[in-house]
Amino acid sequence: MSTPRTRPPEADRRTLIADTAIDLVAAAGLRGLTHRAVDGAAGLPAGSTSYYFRTRTALIGACYARLAELDLGDVGDLSGFGEVGEVGDAVGGVGGVGGEGSPRPSLPLPPPPGPAPADREAAAAALAGLLHRWLTVGRARQLARFELSLEAARNPELEADFHRAGQGARARAAGILAALGARRPEEAAELLVAWTDGLLYDRLAGALARSRPAPDLPELTSITRRMLDAVLVEG
């Protein structure tokens, strides 16, 4: 008598669908993202993706949420430089948006003692390691993120999901920068995120992306050290 196959938990199936959709976007762009394509690539019965995510907009929203979850996990690796979650919550998340979407003023924190050079150096090394991961083994995920971000700019229905997905990592960044001595961690985090996004885009999809040598950790550490020096002076 054969043992009946058990269905994977619903949460696992949703994650599988989102991960597969992200891989498809990275490989073929948004033109390759269809419910049928996700079913086939994920090895799921026909109609599974549309059962969980009825529309293409819902499927893209699931990609945003999954990308945010994965990026937040990666950024969490940097959280040894302070109680990042608590600081991030205290400043209301980068962008000054509170729990119900109501704006909060961006107020300067009291002047903290300057961070020890070793702390800043360790933070630069950790950030460089994160960027190196995203530019190498995490390359596909970052390509999908950029592709999907453009869709949010074109489709008002996706704006809220995309905005919400980006808040967690920014709050973590603000917490790290506050622990390193930033007086205005929200503003400093906005600069740092903009610079890191620009670096990632340039190295993955910029005009010289194919001809430039693969990034190495010493180069990235030099870049992140200068980034942190700049945002901590400004912030």
Side-chain angles (χ1 to χ4, degrees):
M1 182 176 178
S2 61
T3 303
R5 294 172 62 186
T6 58
R7 288 183 60 187
E10 182 170 317
D12 291 348
R13 186 166 287 204
R14 287 176 177 273
T15 299
L16 173 62
I17 289 169
D19 285 342
T20 304
I22 289 166
D23 288 342
L24 286 171
V25 172
L30 281 165
R31 68 180 181 278
L33 183 63
T34 66
H35 289 76
R36 181 178 297 179
V38 174
D39 287 341
L44 293 172
S48 296
T49 299
S50 61
Y51 174 81
Y52 289 102
F53 305 103
R54 290 286 183 188
T55 65
R56 195 164 185 267
T57 297
L59 181 57
I60 292 173
C63 291
Y64 292 151
R66 180 60 175 158
L67 286 168
E69 179 185 5
L70 292 169
D71 284 351
L72 194 58
D74 287 346
V75 174
D77 293 344
L78 306 179
S79 61
F81 302 103
E83 296 298 326
V84 175
E86 294 179 11
V87 177
D89 292 342
V91 298
V94 175
V97 179
E100 298 297 326
S102 56
R104 291 184 183 177
S106 177
L107 298 176
L109 298 177
D119 292 341
R120 192 177 296 188
E121 191 64 28
L127 180 55
L130 177 60
L131 289 172
H132 188 267
R133 188 189 317 169
W134 284 349
L135 288 168
T136 53
V137 295
R139 178 178 182 276
R141 193 209 309 172
Q142 297 307 311
L143 286 173
R145 185 169 67 85
F146 286 123
E147 185 89 29
L148 289 161
S149 68
L150 293 174
E151 185 66 12
R154 301 185 191 105
N155 185 347
E157 291 183 53
L158 291 167
E159 267 187 276
D161 284 343
F162 181 67
H163 176 77
R164 184 165 50 250
Q167 294 308 298
R170 284 169 164 76
R172 289 282 177 94
I176 291 167
L177 292 168
L180 288 171
R183 293 186 60 189
R184 293 180 172 82
E186 290 179 279
E187 295 174 16
E190 290 286 359
L191 282 174
L192 186 62
V193 169
W195 287 341
T196 53
D197 268 354
L199 184 147
L200 288 168
Y201 184 87
D202 181 62
R203 296 303 177 93
L204 292 173
L208 301 178
R210 291 188 179 275
S211 59
R212 181 179 283 149
D216 57 45
L217 276 173
E219 176 196 4
L220 290 172
T221 303
S222 174
I223 291 170
T224 55
R225 188 184 299 117
R226 281 178 280 163
M227 283 181 181
L228 288 174
D229 287 344
V231 298
L232 290 171
V233 167
E234 296 294 328

